[in-house]
Amino acid sequence: MLLKEVKTGSKYIAHYNSTNILKSIFESHNNRLLLYFKSGFIYEYTNVNPAEYTKFKISESQGKVFHKLIKTKPNKKLENYQLKDVITERKNILY
């Protein structure tokens, strides 16, 4: 479930209450979606159109929409991230 989304230019940064996905960054100018998984990895998905991103973000279950619409898109694992940094960011955004 979407907790909060912030738009900065052509970037949409969203935080979720999801089993596996903590955060997403969607870049509407190039249809690129970055997903921050609770496992500590960031994956980049390309060719994600705005309608697909909207379905993903407003869904009650990001995981279901991810598996149905996004998982098969061209993707690559980018890097690990510090979970504590995303949690701190989330606290700053939500409170």
Side-chain angles (χ1 to χ4, degrees), residues 24-26 31-35 43-45 48 53 70:
S24 70
I25 300 174
F26 179 66
N31 291 344
R32 182 174 97 139
L33 178 64
L34 301 177
L35 291 180
Y43 281 82
E44 172 190 61
Y45 295 86
V48 177
Y53 170 68
I70 297 168

Side-chain angles (χ1 to χ4, degrees), residues 1-4 15-18 57 59-62:
M1 174 173 42
L2 177 66
L3 295 174
K4 185 161 188 176
H15 289 264
Y16 304 95
N17 181 14
S18 170
K57 77 174 180 181
S59 175
E60 285 295 316
S61 171
Q62 276 67 45

Side-chain angles (χ1 to χ4, degrees), residues 18-21 56 59-68:
S18 170
T19 305
N20 292 312
I21 300 168
F56 171 78
S59 175
E60 285 295 316
S61 171
Q62 276 67 45
K64 286 181 182 177
V65 176
F66 168 74
H67 285 285
K68 184 177 180 182

